[in-house]
Amino acid sequence: MARHVLPSVDSTMNEAARLAPGLSGSAWIFAHEQTAARGRRGRDWRAPAGNFSATLVMRPEGGLAQAALYSFVAALALEAALAHVAGPHARLSIKWPNDVLLNGGKIAGILLESLQGGAQLAIGIGVNLAHAPPRNELEPEAMPPVSLAGESGMVVPPEEFLPMLAQAFAHYDRQFRDYGFDAIRNAWLARAARLGEEITARTGAQTYRGTFETIDATGALILTGPEGRRAISAADIFF
């Protein structure tokens, strides 16, 4: 698989959009530094040197609904790669829909965007390998940020993390293609943060509180509360 390595870029997602028309297959776009990185819903994402920033451009099988399920594939790959470097005592989990937690704090995020009218998919991944942003720069109810170095003492250069992540992603991508989303769903649920516990989901102006029961075949979160069982396809989740 092709890899494009850049010393600095505004955003690997932006670079993915620029390169996508000329790509015949999948490619990782890796940058040592991002100057204008973004997260979900246009939020800023701090990406200083020493942290990991990359975007995978690929051509998923199926339509947009199938492509959206790659957030779960990417989360599993991230969790596996971090488990490899964080040591045996690290507590890793995955927060729906697309964050990876280390010892209860957010260490990584995933962003999906469609390219070329949906023909290609960009999967942006940011990992706090060396630095976590100051808490006062985040929204008041945001998950506390952590870094791999701060939590485990492990120093992993971003360029060394890339092949670990690429290998893990290839493994779960094969699982998805060969066995469908059920295999991914089961593996994801085994690592899900706060499964079976009470959480809060906010979808625009609506707030729902209930027990995180499972995710369904579309990746929607199933919340059971006073008003019954509800499927939520997009929301911000708070513990």
Side-chain angles (χ1 to χ4, degrees):
M1 184 181 298
R3 295 180 188 178
H4 300 261
V5 178
L6 306 168
S8 182
V9 73
D10 54 351
S11 159
T12 58
M13 294 295 280
N14 290 347
E15 186 69 6
R18 290 189 287 263
L19 292 177
L23 295 176
S24 58
S26 299
W28 283 94
I29 299 162
F30 168 82
H32 287 278
E33 182 182 40
Q34 291 187 105
T35 59
R38 64 183 185 277
R40 290 179 65 234
R41 302 187 181 181
R43 297 185 178 110
D44 289 339
W45 177 273
R46 287 172 57 93
N51 282 1
F52 179 84
S53 302
T55 295
L56 173 64
V57 181
M58 62 179 299
R59 294 181 182 272
E61 299 174 355
L64 291 177
Q66 184 85 346
L69 297 177
Y70 268 95
S71 65
F72 298 93
V73 175
L76 286 170
L78 253 181
E79 192 271 347
L82 284 166
H84 184 72
V85 298
H89 301 296
R91 293 185 294 109
L92 287 161
S93 58
I94 304 174
K95 177 175 177 281
W96 188 91
N98 55 6
D99 293 337
V100 179
L101 309 182
L102 172 60
N103 298 339
K106 180 175 175 177
I107 188 172
I110 298 163
L111 176 65
L112 267 64
E113 293 182 354
S114 62
L115 303 174
Q116 299 291 99
Q120 291 168 290
L121 177 68
I123 306 173
I125 296 173
V127 185
N128 299 330
L129 290 180
H131 312 285
R135 186 69 186 271
N136 61 8
E137 294 184 4
L138 304 177
E139 297 172 0
E141 293 182 302
M143 290 293 297
V146 299
S147 69
L148 177 67
E151 292 296 308
S152 70
M154 301 297 292
V155 177
V156 179
E159 62 272 19
E160 293 183 12
F161 187 73
L162 177 59
M164 300 178 202
L165 176 60
Q167 182 178 6
F169 189 93
H171 167 76
Y172 283 109
D173 186 25
R174 285 194 299 271
Q175 293 274 310
F176 188 26
R177 293 174 188 271
D178 292 346
Y179 304 109
F181 185 61
D182 277 350
I184 298 301
R185 176 179 175 272
N186 291 335
W188 190 96
L189 285 170
R191 297 158 175 81
R194 303 297 179 95
L195 184 67
E197 299 182 23
E198 192 172 83
I199 63 172
T200 298
R202 291 182 185 162
T203 60
Q206 299 296 317
T207 298
Y208 306 101
R209 190 165 182 83
T211 300
F212 176 17
E213 184 179 324
T214 188
I215 59 172
D216 67 13
T218 70
L221 181 145
I222 304 301
L223 195 69
T224 302
E227 299 177 354
R229 205 165 180 256
R230 182 185 303 273
I232 298 174
S233 59
D236 287 322
I237 300 300
F238 300 92
F239 296 156

